[in-house]
Every structure is written in C-alpha cells, then in structure tokens.
Amino acid sequence: MDTYSVSSSVDGAIDYGATGTFATLQSISFLLSTLVDSCPLHREFGLDPPIDDPTSYARASLSAQIIEKIERSIPEVDVVDVLIEDQPLEGRLSATVKVVIINDSEI
C-alpha cells in the first residue's frame, strides 16, 4: 500500500469528476480546509481550529481532531502521521497528513 501526503495549504480547485485515489485525496484536502458549520447539510464536517490556545496545546488538539474527523468522514483511509507546522508571522497552523488508502480497488 502506498502512503500519500495531503496538505491543508493547497489551492481550492475541485475536480468534480475525480475518481479513485485522487477523489479520496481531494476529500481529505477539502476536509482540512473546511471549517465546522460551513457545510449546510453536514454541519459537523470540517475542523474547529483552536483559537487563542497556546501553540503546543493547539498543535496537539488540532492533530487529534484531524485524525478523528478523517476516520469518521473518510473511512477508506488510515492516518499514518499528522505534521502540524506553525506559521507565527501569519498566526496560523498548517497540517500535512500522511495516509494509506485501504480500499484502492477503483484505481
């Protein structure tokens, strides 16, 4: 099984005809860039970023939340690693997730 890296800092272009592995990776990228309560029929989809928390707590909280949300929303994926990088001048955290796709029969 191959390991894929997906970042939260990719552009917002969506390929509506995507299938197989690309569609799964696109779903992960979309989840990482979506805020909770911003999808009308799926309010719990997305992340609730830790605002005004100390950096070490925010990293741990966001990492746990990413793993939980991906496992719940995209069951054909196993999360291998989550790397949280802080960008102090911009006041943001960016995530890179390494995943293994379990059900890759569509490829």
Side-chain angles (χ1 to χ4, degrees), residues 49-66:
I51 298 173
D52 293 335
D53 290 335
T55 304
S56 58
Y57 177 79
R59 284 177 144 188
S61 172
L62 188 59
S63 180
Q65 188 180 156
I66 287 171

Side-chain angles (χ1 to χ4, degrees), residues 19-36:
T19 60
T21 300
F22 185 73
T24 303
L25 298 176
Q26 181 174 271
S27 295
I28 296 168
S29 177
F30 183 69
L31 184 135
L32 293 175
S33 62
T34 303
L35 296 175
V36 170

Side-chain angles (χ1 to χ4, degrees), residues 30 34-46:
F30 183 69
T34 303
L35 296 175
V36 170
D37 290 335
S38 63
C39 291
L41 298 175
H42 195 10
R43 293 291 183 188
E44 66 276 357
F45 184 84

Side-chain angles (χ1 to χ4, degrees), residues 71-92:
E71 288 179 353
R72 183 183 314 150
S73 299
I74 310 167
E76 64 270 13
V77 170
D78 270 343
V79 178
V80 175
D81 189 24
V82 177
L83 174 66
I84 306 291
E85 295 180 13
D86 59 333
Q87 300 166 350
L89 296 178
E90 296 174 8
R92 70 171 34 187

